[in-house]
Amino acid sequence: MQRRTNGSSATTTKTGDSNGNHGGVSTLPMKRVRRKKKKSLYSSSALIEFNEINTLLFIIFVLTLIIVGLLFVFFTSPSGEGQADARRNRQRTNPKFMDHFDAASYKGERRGDEMHDIGDKSMKYRKLREEFDVIVPLTEDASVLEARKELAAKLRKRSYKSIMGEVECPLYPPEGYPKAWNILDIISNWNPDDTTPHEAIYQGICVFDFDTEYDKAINYRNAEVPYVVRNDPQVLRTVERWNLPDYLPRLLPANEPHRAEYSTNNHFMYWMQKGIRRKKKNKPGNNPPKGWKAPTEMIRMSYPDWLQKASV
């Protein structure tokens, strides 16, 4: 008979004779049996491999979120006119803009010559244009366009000729166009302080007619060289509207001053003082030299006042 106690084994042997008489009992200790330990699934090497897999999965998850977010922004965000519409919709709900901006402009109801999201969008300007657009309509009528060309021609009080002869303007810009001259030659021909008109000037820019030389203008534009276009129907319409006696005074009334640049002479020199825009006047190197004074001054002036001074 065997008996197992606390993990150890012992064998008990009973002794006796053939008549059934029992003798003594002897107990023999047995060798202790050790259980084999199972290998842990979470050994150090397994844990390291498990952590690496988790890290890789996390990186893939984050990259997936970034890609999905970028695709969402790309396909849902408005572009071009859509961005302008979204911006105007935000402004329309802002009470700050309600009194100034015209609600119709936010709905995309623009005039034929109105640029998207550029220019005056106020109710005042829209009403003024509606009134004067009846007088100066957007049209392709040949007789109206011809009358506007004649008006523009009358407004050109002077004509200028190139001092070097007629400017050559072939279908495509020639090599060396536009021609340039020494600045001293230009000044000696017409001194900036001389206000007397000069007919012969250093002029090397081509002047194209919109109706007859449109293809030339496109070629010069594609070549990214300077040129002048005359008799553009859109510009002719603006010329006629601006020369109506009541339009500009109502667009720019006397009680509304505007920014103007003032000079004590006929020189309007370009200048910019360092640090003014960024408010870093006290930073070393940003202060002007001692005794320096800006050549021009920014002032506020009404349109009638400006027109009176500019017409002298």
Side-chain angles (χ1 to χ4, degrees), residues 111-128:
R111 300 181 307 275
D113 63 344
E114 183 177 355
M115 299 183 68
H116 199 85
D117 203 38
I118 297 177
D120 194 344
K121 306 296 181 183
S122 65
M123 182 71 76
K124 172 187 172 183
Y125 181 71
R126 180 168 292 276
K127 289 183 176 180
L128 183 66

Side-chain angles (χ1 to χ4, degrees), residues 95-106:
K96 178 181 177 182
F97 295 91
M98 291 300 290
D99 296 334
H100 180 69
F101 285 91
D102 178 15
S105 65
Y106 292 106

